[in-house]
């Protein structure tokens, strides 16, 4: 069965493809196509090896489809594998809706009935998953990540970059404390204004402001000093021996930035470092914002994200959620602030538990004392 | 009777209590002044450490004179052994309130003096209650351990050490479940006894 699938990658066909298109394509395009085909070939060979290894275990291999997913599995464990993938896919289907783009990827479960690995084949490259059919939860987690990763990879590039390729979750399950901490404690004017309720500041902090992303406008002088301190602390500590000839000049500029409250000096030092300043809110915040947009947009939201042809993230997210951009931002921010407030410290449970253990240890001390 | 035992405990422990109390008062100030925008705060690790040390010191001093006097004083009293142990435990718990009160004062003062950014809150009472819980649990644990004979204490410590070494070795050699990890997970997570030492110990927090 597998050899049929592999036939499209056989070398003669490969060379034929190369020859027939050579006349009409530039050399760069041909090289690009060649390397893409090579990558597909190596994926297929790798998959063939896995299939062969399953055969060596005297376990015939079967292929079946779950939604848009092709699954290859040893026949001895086909029921387990099918139920795992079906269960995960049902959850995703309920969220992403239909119609979906065609996903050509398969799972190859190794070592029938035992803890093993699965080869997951996204369109580009391949990856191994730890899959143990006897440990249903961890297997489902791996498969969920693989499918979520694939769904993210299918998004337009602007959106993928915005969320740093975070796999699409079945349901939003943010780390409330971390998100809230980021909003409250990120040293940036935009972050502080965002917490106070400024929607435009929130868009600026995620790098999706209407004016475009200019980090120089998002940091106060004190914030800039913090950035400079972070970026130059190691160099300053190591001294001229490590840094080189113009250390003294740099040291003077560094001290000037930290002591004189001159924005220009700090900005030039940051520019000099070469490393670009990221948006105040990082990928976790940006990904969560996208997940809220999907949640708000309901079943057709993912399809709208796939179809987005705008380069402006703010417009894309508004289209995905079918809400006004500022309403979406307001929804996201109040959600995080309200959730965090409702999850603040409650020491009563801990006190009750401590009382219990105090009693237990007390009993041990009395019962096991020298005079018992 | 309790008054005498409390006085005896005070005599045995006041020299240890003094630095503990000073540390408990100063620690919240240190924590507030080193409040960091990053998620990792080293100073908050000092609070559970101080609770463990305070519990250890009070438990050790509770039995110190009895061990030196070969238990003659305890056995000469007209009460049962369990009553004596209970009184000893209660006296140590009361003495433990001194560093706890110092920590509450220190954290309340720090909370008033601090000017955290919007969205960050000071938790002086919650932190003090947490410290009280942690130090009492630590004290009770140490007290239970020290209440046995010295030989039993050594056997217990050796047994724990052997268990951890053996289970780690077996897990790494045969790939079986590491029982020591399971035990640690139980001890350090709810409803385990030492869960109180984990989690956030920040005075200023979100």
């Amino acid at each position: 069965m597998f050899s049929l699938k592999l036939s499209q990658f056989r070398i003669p066909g490969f060379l034929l493809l190369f020859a027939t298109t050579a006349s009409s394509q530039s050399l760069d395009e041909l090289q690009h196509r060649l390397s893409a085909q090579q990558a597909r070939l190596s994926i297929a060979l790798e998959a063939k090896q896995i299939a062969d290894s399953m055969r060596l275990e005297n376990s015939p291999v079967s292929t079946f489809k779950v939604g848009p997913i092709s699954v290859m599995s040893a026949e001895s464990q086909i029921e387990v594998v099918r139920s795992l993938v079906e269960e995960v896919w049902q959850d995703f289907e309920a969220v992403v809706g239909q119609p979906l783009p065609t996903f050509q990827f398969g799972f190859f479960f190794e070592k029938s009935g035992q803890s093993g690995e699965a080869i997951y084949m996204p369109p580009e490259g391949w990856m191994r998953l730890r899959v143990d059919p006897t440990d249903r939860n961890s297997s489902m987690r791996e498969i969920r990540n693989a499918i979520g990763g694939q769904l993210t990879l299918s998004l337009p590039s602007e959106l993928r970059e915005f969320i740093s390729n975070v796999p699409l979750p079945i349901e939003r399950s943010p780390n409330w404390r971390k998100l809230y901490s980021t909003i409250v404690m990120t040293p940036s004017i935009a972050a502080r204004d965002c917490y106070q309720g400024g929607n435009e500041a929130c868009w600026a902090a995620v790098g999706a402001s209407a004016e475009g992303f200019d980090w120089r406008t998002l940091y106060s002088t004190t914030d800039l000093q913090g950035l400079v301190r972070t970026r130059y602390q190691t160099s300053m500590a190591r001294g001229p021996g490590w840094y080189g000839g113009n250390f003294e000049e740099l040291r003077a500029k560094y001290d000037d930035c930290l002591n004189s409250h001159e924005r220009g000096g700090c900005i030039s030092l940051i520019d000099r470092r070469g490393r670009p300043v990221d948006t105040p809110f990082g990928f976790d915040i940006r990904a969560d914002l996208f997940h809220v947009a999907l949640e708000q947009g309901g079943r057709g939201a993912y399809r709208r994200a796939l179809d987005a042809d705008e380069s402006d993230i703010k417009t894309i997210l508004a289209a995905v959620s079918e809400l006004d951009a500022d309403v979406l931002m307001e929804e996201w921010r109040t959600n995080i602030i309200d959730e965090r407030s409702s999850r603040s410290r409650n020491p009563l449970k801990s006190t009750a538990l401590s009382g219990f253990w105090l009693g237990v240890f007390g009993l041990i001390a009395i019962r096991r004392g020298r005079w018992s | 009777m309790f008054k005498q035992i409390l006085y005896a405990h005070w005599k045995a422990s006041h020299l240890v209590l003094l630095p503990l109390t000073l540390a408990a008062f100063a620690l919240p100030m240190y924590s507030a002044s080193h409040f960091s925008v990053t998620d990792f705060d080293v100073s908050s690790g000092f609070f559970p450490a101080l609770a463990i040390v305070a519990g250890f010191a009070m438990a050790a001093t509770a039995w110190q004179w009895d061990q030196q006097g070969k238990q003659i004083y305890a056995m000469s009293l007209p009460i049962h052994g369990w009553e004596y142990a209970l009184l000893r435990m209660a006296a140590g718990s009361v003495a433990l309130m001194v560093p706890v009160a110092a920590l509450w004062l220190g954290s309340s003062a720090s909370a008033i003096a601090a000017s955290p950014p919007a969205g960050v809150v000071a938790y002086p009472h919650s932190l003090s209650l947490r410290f009280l819980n942690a130090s009492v649990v630590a004290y009770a644990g140490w007290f239970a351990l020290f209440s046995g004979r010295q030989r039993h204490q050594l056997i217990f410590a050796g047994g724990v050490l052997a268990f951890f070494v053996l289970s780690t070795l077996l897990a790494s050699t045969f790939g079986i479940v590491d029982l020591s990890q399971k035990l640690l997970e139980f001890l350090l997570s709810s409803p385990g006894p030492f869960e109180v030492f984990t989690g956030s110990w920040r005075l200023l927090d979100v």
Side-chain angles (χ1 to χ4, degrees):
Chain A
M1 184 181 291
F2 194 80
S3 60
L4 286 174
K5 278 178 172 286
L6 193 63
S7 62
Q8 61 182 301
F9 302 107
R10 280 182 180 163
I11 302 299
F14 189 57
L15 291 175
L16 187 66
L17 174 79
F18 185 83
T20 52
T21 51
S23 55
S24 59
Q25 310 252 347
S26 72
L27 192 61
D28 282 351
E29 281 173 350
L30 282 172
Q31 276 177 339
H32 178 72
R33 291 190 65 178
L34 181 63
S35 56
Q37 292 292 340
Q38 276 175 332
R40 294 185 71 192
L41 179 65
S42 66
I43 292 165
L45 288 172
E46 184 72 38
K48 184 179 179 298
Q49 277 179 5
I50 300 296
D52 287 346
S53 76
M54 285 196 282
R55 285 200 190 92
L56 284 175
E57 290 178 20
N58 295 322
S59 179
V61 177
S62 279
T63 310
F64 59 92
K65 287 201 80 162
V66 176
I69 309 163
S70 302
V71 183
M72 179 173 274
S73 163
E75 273 184 7
S76 58
Q77 59 176 115
I78 200 161
E79 288 312 314
V80 182
V81 172
R82 188 194 292 274
S83 73
L84 278 171
V85 180
E86 274 179 355
E87 196 171 332
V88 174
W89 178 247
Q90 264 173 17
D91 292 340
F92 268 111
E93 198 181 21
V95 177
V96 298
Q98 294 280 8
L100 281 165
T102 316
F103 292 128
Q104 295 292 336
F105 60 100
F107 294 92
F108 300 86
F109 291 82
E110 207 176 356
K111 290 182 184 167
S112 51
Q114 296 292 317
S115 167
E117 284 178 318
I119 299 292
Y120 153 59
M121 282 179 22
E124 294 165 16
W126 56 272
M127 59 188 279
R128 279 174 186 271
L129 309 176
R130 291 292 309 165
V131 174
D132 178 359
T134 57
D135 184 352
R136 202 171 171 81
N137 286 342
S138 78
S139 296
M140 283 178 67
R141 195 168 49 242
E142 291 289 351
I143 295 169
R144 210 175 283 139
N145 268 337
I147 297 176
Q150 184 57 50
L151 291 169
T152 294
L153 276 176
S154 306
L155 292 169
S157 57
E158 305 84 36
L159 209 43
R160 274 203 332 256
E161 277 169 32
F162 183 70
I163 62 171
S164 293
N165 290 315
V166 170
L168 198 76
I170 289 173
E171 62 178 1
R172 178 179 172 236
S173 55
N175 181 340
W176 298 105
R177 182 185 158 78
K178 193 163 183 283
L179 291 180
Y180 181 89
S181 302
T182 308
I183 296 175
V184 167
M185 306 209 306
T186 297
S188 155
I189 300 167
R192 288 188 288 272
D193 288 351
C194 176
Y195 177 73
Q196 302 289 354
N199 290 329
E200 196 46 47
C202 294
W203 286 115
V206 294
S209 168
E211 288 83 39
F213 174 61
D214 179 9
W215 64 267
R216 290 167 185 80
T217 61
L218 303 181
Y219 295 93
S220 69
T221 310
T222 315
D223 301 331
L224 288 172
Q225 286 170 334
L227 284 176
V228 167
R229 199 176 287 117
T230 309
R231 282 161 185 249
Y232 281 90
Q233 212 161 26
T234 315
S235 312
M236 291 301 123
R238 287 180 177 172
W242 182 76
Y243 195 82
N246 54 356
F247 178 78
E248 291 309 324
E249 179 202 335
L250 185 75
R251 175 89 222 181
K253 284 184 176 171
Y254 177 78
D255 291 339
D256 202 36
C257 164
L258 297 191
N259 301 322
S260 74
H261 299 280
E262 272 292 323
R263 285 179 64 82
C266 293
I267 288 172
S268 72
L269 272 175
I270 293 169
D271 280 336
R272 179 180 177 148
R273 202 65 173 166
R275 186 156 49 99
V277 177
D278 199 4
T279 55
F281 291 163
F283 75 90
D284 46 352
I285 289 262
R286 296 195 300 260
D288 189 57
L289 180 60
F290 174 56
H291 298 154
V292 171
L294 285 174
E295 203 176 72
Q296 292 290 323
R299 268 177 71 86
Y302 178 73
R303 183 77 245 181
R304 287 194 292 281
L306 287 177
D307 294 341
D309 52 3
E310 300 275 348
S311 58
D312 172 15
I313 288 293
K314 196 173 167 180
T315 315
I316 293 177
L317 292 183
V320 168
S321 64
E322 288 191 315
L323 291 173
D324 178 72
D326 285 343
V327 174
L328 169 68
M329 185 54 86
E330 183 78 30
E331 180 71 29
W332 172 77
R333 190 189 52 247
T334 49
N335 181 229
I336 288 175
I337 291 172
D338 292 350
E339 274 292 332
R340 181 58 204 149
S341 309
S342 68
R343 286 160 196 256
S344 57
R345 292 182 185 184
N346 181 6
L348 290 179
K349 188 186 160 207
S350 167
T351 305
L353 204 59
S354 301
F356 170 76
W357 285 110
L358 173 68
V360 171
F361 287 133
L363 270 176
I364 293 171
I366 291 164
R367 300 278 302 166
R368 292 183 56 80
R370 294 166 177 80
W371 313 280
S372 58
Chain B
M1 177 65 72
F2 177 68
K3 216 169 147 186
Q4 279 77 25
I5 289 179
L6 180 62
Y7 178 69
H9 194 122
W10 169 254
K11 292 273 279 180
S13 65
H14 71 281
L15 284 177
V16 188
L17 264 178
L18 185 68
L20 285 174
T21 305
L22 286 175
F25 184 77
L27 200 50
M29 296 178 180
Y30 178 79
S31 174
S33 64
H34 286 74
F35 175 64
S36 155
V37 291
T38 58
D39 215 21
F40 181 67
D41 180 12
V42 178
S43 69
S44 66
F46 293 147
F47 287 106
L50 184 66
I52 293 169
V53 171
F56 175 83
M58 288 304 100
T61 49
W63 295 112
Q64 187 187 358
W65 285 1
D66 282 329
Q67 279 174 355
Q68 284 172 357
K70 308 273 182 202
Q71 322 300 333
I72 291 168
Y73 172 69
M75 284 188 280
S76 67
L77 292 172
I79 54 173
H80 293 293
W82 64 267
E83 278 181 283
Y84 180 73
L86 204 60
L87 287 171
R88 270 266 179 247
M89 190 171 180
S93 303
V94 171
L96 203 56
M97 293 306 115
V98 179
V100 172
L103 187 122
W104 178 72
L105 281 174
S107 51
S108 298
S110 305
I112 292 166
S115 51
V120 175
V121 184
Y123 293 94
H125 310 307
S126 165
L127 179 71
S128 305
L129 186 59
R130 200 173 164 80
F131 183 75
L132 168 69
N133 291 337
S135 49
V136 161
V137 167
Y139 167 69
W142 288 118
F143 187 88
L145 182 67
F146 293 149
S147 67
R149 291 186 178 85
Q150 233 163 16
R151 191 164 58 89
H152 293 161
Q153 292 166 21
L154 285 174
I155 291 170
F156 177 78
V160 170
L161 189 68
F163 170 74
F164 273 88
V165 170
L166 263 178
S167 65
T168 311
L169 272 176
L170 286 173
S172 58
T173 313
F174 300 108
I176 55 171
V177 179
D178 190 346
L179 289 175
S180 63
Q181 288 298 320
K182 294 277 174 201
L183 179 67
L184 273 179
E185 273 170 32
F186 165 73
L187 292 174
L188 293 171
S189 59
S190 184
F194 305 128
E195 182 261 349
V196 67
F197 296 101
T198 62
S200 175
W201 278 84
R202 289 160 180 253
L203 173 63
L204 300 175
D205 204 354
V206 292

